[in-house]
């Protein structure tokens, strides 16, 4: 284990600068910024070697509340465990400022998320390989899905009653337990069955073939019927047994420390401030500083530390240490259209009744406390539809032609016109998207099947690209988050096609007994423009499905990348990024299963450097 003094560390890195820091400073082998989903996976794997010392610094606290742990509570947001950050006005969404959903807690997103546990199509990961990232195609990342998760099926009775299909061999033997619970709300059966009648692929196991209709697990431990998180699976299980791992909570990392050496710019540590002390300290990393602060805060930390687009840094008065346009570029998310239908005749045991019927709510809660069963033991949904463009839009070829004929810069942030590398990377991504849009190997649209009238849809393959920049008057404050939703009109057309397809589904005779009436966006909105405007007015449209990513993309530098496939920030020594910001293209899936796998692979890469 390495706890060395600051002076010996300087010798280790062959620094050419004079040493001035106090000798009492602690140095760890690895300093991980962010104890969220990826940060704790990395901390666990690195601390397997008792000779290595690891410090994780997390802004949030160890939260033990039942709002997150009980699956039945996952319908709403646990705002107390999230950042209170809103986006810049979104010009194409009525200039509204939207909540940027990011966990601020040990466990990060895994602690506050909707617990959907699925993966993208093989083609989604192959795309990362096609962009020049060696070892990051499906074959390269698949073993790490196996390494991170393990699956528990529901009871035989539930399988028979709901006709649930699954294939255990699609999952692994990893620490994160996921499951399809024994309890399902009765209306889940007719709702799921109605989708079996659509001309879309029905797949036995979504974790094997993720394009189509399938039953899907939640990140829930079947034995205890509680949420599983990076904390419960990767930290709580080892914390007491590994003195070489330290987790510092309720502490904000303010800045990365660099030294100019003969080797170039080297990340040597971080400056941090405990949230309740407000006194800044420093800590040093002998081997690496590892950023796991997520798709929103990693680019912010890089920029505030002097790594980012020169103009953004200069406008905020931050000294430029490395002009890197990739930081805060390529920002992506799934675009949500939270459609909703008013239904009649639901079974008395239904999700909305938990909010409207106090007796049912209390009985259900007591049942959960007594034996971990019933309505509170299940999350939002175990039914998913992930479909190719041609599955929901017969005019898909027209969309493909439009994508190919567009002058890309017309629909991109200005920086892409000024920077050849950024544009080259985007054009390569666009070619991949055009290929995916014309085939059936990757999903473009998503519909979440629930047991009541909430019918969320999402465009999973945005062509628009957002930015994360510094607040020029307060660079240390929250970053400026700009999704640029619908900057590329193709994204809006996909949302419209998906809304029409979903609307049509709800007119099926098999669902007629529910007498569905669309309440969001609303049946009065019929033309393309009206459907978008109705989504804005009703509030069903949102720029994010809580999957911010891509803002420090893993791609070659000549394609506008931020980190290499070895996860090192270009132009800096000993600084790596492992969180959702590295995803070069967003896969068609909820992100957590992918992030667990990415972090497992990242841990092997970092270890191999040692
Ligand atoms: C509300 C919500 C619902 C979601 N629903 C689903 C779902 O149902 N299924 C699914 O698969 N995915 C879902 N996701 C997405 C998924 O959880 C995330 O993509 C994933 O957790 C991202 O992992 P990460 O490690 O990149 O970042 P995070 O897990 O967000 O970790 C980043 C951590 O860094 C900390 N941090 C940031 N800046 C600093 C700093 N300067 N100093 C110290 N600490 C810092 C944060 O507090 C946070 O804990 C959801 C996410 C949210 C927020």
């Amino acid at each position: 284990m390495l706890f060395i003094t600051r002076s010996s560390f300087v010798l280790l890195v062959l620094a050419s600068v004079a040493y001035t820091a106090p000798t009492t400073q602690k140095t760890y082998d690895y300093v991980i910024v962010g104890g969220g989903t990826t940060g704790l996976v990395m901390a666990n794997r690195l601390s397997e070697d008792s000779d290595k010392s690891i410090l994780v610094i997390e802004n949030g606290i160890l939260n033990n509340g039942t709002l997150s742990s009980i699956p039945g509570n996952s319908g709403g947001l646990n705002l107390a465990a999230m950042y209170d950050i809103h986006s810049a006005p979104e010009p194409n969404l009525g200039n509204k400022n939207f909540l940027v959903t990011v966990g601020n807690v040990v466990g990060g997103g895994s602690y506050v998320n909707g617990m959907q546990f699925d993966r993208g199509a093989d083609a989604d990961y192959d795309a990362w390989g096609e962009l020049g990232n060696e070892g990051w195609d499906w074959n390269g990342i698949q073993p790490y899905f196996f390494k991170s998760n393990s699956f528990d099926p529901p009871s035989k009775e539930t399988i028979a009653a709901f006709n649930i299909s699954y294939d255990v061999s699609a999952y692994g033997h990893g620490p994160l337990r996921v499951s399809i619970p024994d309890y399902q709300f009765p209306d889940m059966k007719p709702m799921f069955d109605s989708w079996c009648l659509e001309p879309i692929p029905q797949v036995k196991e979504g974790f094997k073939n993720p394009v189509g209709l399938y039953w899907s697990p939640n990140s829930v431990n079947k034995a205890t019927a509680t949420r599983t998180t990076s904390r419960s699976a990767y930290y709580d299980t080892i914390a007491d047994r590994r003195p070489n791992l330290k987790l510092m909570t309720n502490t904000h990392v303010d800045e990365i420390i660099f030294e100019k050496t003969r080797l170039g710019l080297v990340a040597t540590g971080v400056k941090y401030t405990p949230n309740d002390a407000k006194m800044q300290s420093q800590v040093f990393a002998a081997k690496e500083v590892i950023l796991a602060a997520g798709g929103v805060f990693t680019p912010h930390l890089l920029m505030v530390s002097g790594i980012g687009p020169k103009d953004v840094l200069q406008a905020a008065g931050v000294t430029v240490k490395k002009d890197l346009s990739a930081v805060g570029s390529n920002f992506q998310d799934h675009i949500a259209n939270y459609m909703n239908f008013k239904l009649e005749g639901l079974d008395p045991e239904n999700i909305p009744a938990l909010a409207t019927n106090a007796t049912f709510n209390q009985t259900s809660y007591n049942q959960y406390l007594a034996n971990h069963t019933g309505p509170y033991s299940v999350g939002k949904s175990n039914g998913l539809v992930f479909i190719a463009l041609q599955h929901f839009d017969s005019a898909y070829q027209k969309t493909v032609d439009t994508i190919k004929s567009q002058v890309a810069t017309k629909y991109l942030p200005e920086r892409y016109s000024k920077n050849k590398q950024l544009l080259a990377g985007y054009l390569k991504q666009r070619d991949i998207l055009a290929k995916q849009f014309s085939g059936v190997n990757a999903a473009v649209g998503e519909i979440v099947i629930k047991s009541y009238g909430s019918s969320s849809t999402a465009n999973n393959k945005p062509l628009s690209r957002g930015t994360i920049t510094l607040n020029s008057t307060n660079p240390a404050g929250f970053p400026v988050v700009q999704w640029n939703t619908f900057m590329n009109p193709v994204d809006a057309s996909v949302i419209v096609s998906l809304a029409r397809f979903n609307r049509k589904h709800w007119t099926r005779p098999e669902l007629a007994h529910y007498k569905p009436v669309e309440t969001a966006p609303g049946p009065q909105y019929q033309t393309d423009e009206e459907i978008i405007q109705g989504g804005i007015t009703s509030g069903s449209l949102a720029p994010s499905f809580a999957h911010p990513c891509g803002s420090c993309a893993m791609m070659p530098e000549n394609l506008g990348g931020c980190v290499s496939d070895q996860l090192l920030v270009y132009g800096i020594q000993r600084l790596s990024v492992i969180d959702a910001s590295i995803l070069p293209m967003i896969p068609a899936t909820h992100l957590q299963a992918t992030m667990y796998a990415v972090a497992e692979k990242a841990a092997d890469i970092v270890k191999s450097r040692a």
Side-chain angles (χ1 to χ4, degrees):
M1 197 189 312
L2 190 63
F3 288 119
I4 56 175
T5 62
R6 179 90 178 87
S7 50
S8 53
F9 169 69
V10 171
L11 289 175
L12 275 178
V13 297
L14 302 172
S16 60
V17 289
Y19 163 61
T20 49
T23 48
T24 50
Q25 285 290 4
K26 263 281 173 69
T27 296
Y28 291 78
D29 288 307
Y30 299 96
V31 173
I32 301 173
V33 180
T37 309
T38 51
L40 293 182
V41 175
M42 179 61 82
N44 178 307
R45 294 306 180 194
L46 291 180
S47 62
E48 284 170 345
D49 179 349
S50 58
D51 284 340
K52 300 285 183 308
S53 58
I54 292 98
L55 172 68
V56 181
I57 308 179
E58 164 56 44
N59 191 62
I61 59 166
L62 280 160
N63 187 317
N64 294 315
T66 51
L67 199 53
S68 268
S69 65
I70 299 180
N73 290 336
S74 68
L77 290 174
N78 186 350
L79 292 173
M82 292 167 64
Y83 288 90
D84 185 15
I85 169 174
H86 285 75
S87 73
E90 281 295 327
N92 299 310
L93 291 177
N95 274 325
K96 291 190 212 173
N97 308 86
F98 290 85
L99 179 69
V100 182
T101 46
V102 184
N104 176 16
V105 62
V106 176
S110 70
Y111 190 84
V112 295
N113 67 24
M115 305 189 310
Q116 302 280 4
F117 197 84
D118 49 335
R119 74 161 172 94
D122 301 5
D124 285 344
Y125 306 103
D126 286 342
W128 299 356
E130 282 171 55
L131 287 167
N133 298 305
E134 215 182 310
W136 287 92
D137 56 5
W138 172 242
N139 284 338
I141 196 170
Q142 181 181 31
Y144 296 99
F145 279 91
F146 285 123
K147 191 172 181 185
S148 51
N149 63 58
S150 51
F151 170 81
D152 287 307
S155 66
K156 282 196 186 108
E157 294 73 29
T158 306
I159 292 167
F162 288 85
N163 202 15
I164 293 172
S165 69
Y166 63 89
D167 180 352
V168 183
S169 74
Y171 302 87
H173 301 283
L176 189 89
R177 300 201 77 96
V178 303
S179 61
I180 298 178
D182 291 347
Y183 181 82
Q184 291 292 329
F185 286 92
D187 287 294
M188 194 60 187
K189 171 112 176 87
M191 299 289 182
F192 192 95
D193 287 353
S194 70
W195 281 103
C196 297
L197 303 164
E198 296 292 351
I200 57 175
Q202 291 173 43
V203 293
K204 182 180 172 194
E205 170 57 67
F207 224 72
K208 204 164 229 169
N209 299 304
V211 184
L213 159 70
Y214 51 85
W215 287 90
S216 172
N218 290 149
S219 40
V220 169
N221 182 327
K222 185 175 160 73
T224 57
T226 51
R227 173 193 288 267
T228 54
T229 64
S230 63
R231 175 188 159 188
S232 68
Y234 284 89
Y235 178 73
D236 289 346
T237 46
I238 52 133
D240 290 346
R241 290 185 280 119
R242 296 199 189 159
N244 58 330
L245 171 60
K246 181 173 161 61
L247 171 65
M248 202 186 271
T249 61
N250 201 16
T251 301
H252 185 261
V253 174
D254 310 322
E255 200 182 322
I256 306 161
I257 303 168
F258 299 102
E259 276 181 18
K260 272 189 190 156
T261 74
R262 281 198 288 268
L263 300 171
L265 208 55
V266 180
T268 56
V270 299
K271 295 181 185 173
Y272 65 89
T273 308
N275 290 326
D276 48 13
K278 300 291 170 212
M279 241 207 25
Q280 198 179 58
S281 305
Q282 303 184 355
V283 65
F284 296 90
K287 293 194 179 301
E288 256 176 64
V289 174
I290 299 171
L291 303 189
V296 171
F297 289 108
T298 278
H300 177 249
L301 183 60
L302 283 166
M303 285 187 282
V304 92
S305 307
I307 314 297
K310 193 164 79 179
D311 56 338
V312 174
L313 270 47
Q314 284 173 342
V318 174
T319 305
V320 181
K321 293 181 184 141
K322 161 88 183 163
D323 178 17
L324 190 57
S325 302
V327 179
S329 302
N330 194 51
F331 181 46
Q332 296 163 57
D333 207 321
H334 299 137
I335 306 161
N337 188 6
Y338 294 103
M339 297 181 74
N340 197 67
F341 295 81
K342 184 166 88 51
L343 306 183
E344 291 180 19
L346 283 173
D347 186 280
E349 277 190 31
N350 67 68
I351 289 185
L354 288 170
T356 56
N357 180 338
T359 313
F360 173 56
N361 185 43
Q362 194 58 54
T363 320
S364 302
Y365 197 62
N366 291 345
Q367 180 185 356
Y368 177 82
L369 294 180
N371 54 24
H372 304 305
T373 60
Y376 271 93
S377 67
V378 61
K380 277 194 275 205
S381 162
N382 295 105
L384 293 176
V385 173
F386 274 97
I387 38 181
L389 185 59
Q390 60 191 266
H391 293 139
F392 62 92
D393 185 357
S394 55
Y396 70 97
Q397 194 53 52
K398 211 174 125 215
T399 306
V400 175
D401 294 342
T402 305
I403 293 173
K404 286 180 176 167
S405 66
Q406 281 182 337
V407 176
T409 47
K410 204 173 154 198
Y411 307 109
L412 286 167
E414 205 190 339
R415 62 174 69 173
Y416 286 76
S417 303
K418 296 181 187 155
N419 186 301
K420 279 189 190 140
Q421 282 102 342
L422 280 182
L423 185 59
Y426 178 79
L427 290 175
K428 210 152 185 210
Q429 294 185 9
R430 193 179 74 164
D431 287 348
I432 291 169
L433 286 171
K435 195 169 65 181
Q436 292 185 348
F437 276 49
S438 57
V440 290
N441 292 335
V444 173
E446 172 188 358
I447 299 171
V448 180
I449 307 173
K450 296 197 192 146
S451 54
Y452 61 113
S454 162
S455 190
S456 316
T457 67
N459 173 349
N460 270 238
K461 290 287 158 68
L463 280 124
S464 305
R465 293 290 179 265
T467 56
I468 294 189
T469 51
L470 291 175
N471 176 343
S472 57
T473 54
N474 179 18
F478 284 148
V480 179
V481 177
Q482 184 81 67
W483 277 284
N484 287 328
T485 305
F486 299 154
M487 187 176 242
N488 190 312
V490 168
D491 293 346
S493 78
V494 169
I495 278 285
V496 166
S497 304
L498 200 54
R500 289 214 169 92
F501 178 73
N502 194 33
R503 250 180 199 175
K504 191 154 167 265
H505 174 78
W506 281 94
T507 64
R508 291 201 75 91
E510 297 80 8
L511 295 171
H513 61 283
Y514 289 120
K515 301 194 174 84
V517 176
E518 185 181 315
T519 55
Q524 67 273 36
Y525 304 114
Q526 287 298 325
T527 65
D528 291 13
E529 293 72 24
E530 284 171 358
I531 290 172
I532 295 297
Q533 193 49 50
I536 296 168
T537 310
S538 69
S540 69
L541 274 176
S544 169
F545 221 33
H547 300 150
C549 66
S551 46
C552 178
M554 172 176 63
M555 282 194 294
E557 209 173 358
N558 62 5
L559 291 181
C562 182
V563 296
S564 67
D565 54 21
Q566 296 305 299
L567 308 176
L568 291 163
V569 176
Y570 289 116
I572 318 281
Q573 314 270 331
R574 301 186 181 194
L575 179 64
S576 53
V577 184
I578 61 158
D579 56 44
S581 58
I582 68 164
L583 307 191
M585 291 176 76
I586 192 165
T589 179
H590 306 105
L591 288 190
Q592 69 165 335
T594 298
M595 292 325 304
Y596 280 107
V598 163
E600 286 280 14
K601 185 172 169 70
D604 270 3
I605 289 174
V606 172
K607 277 176 167 181
S608 72
R609 278 201 270 277

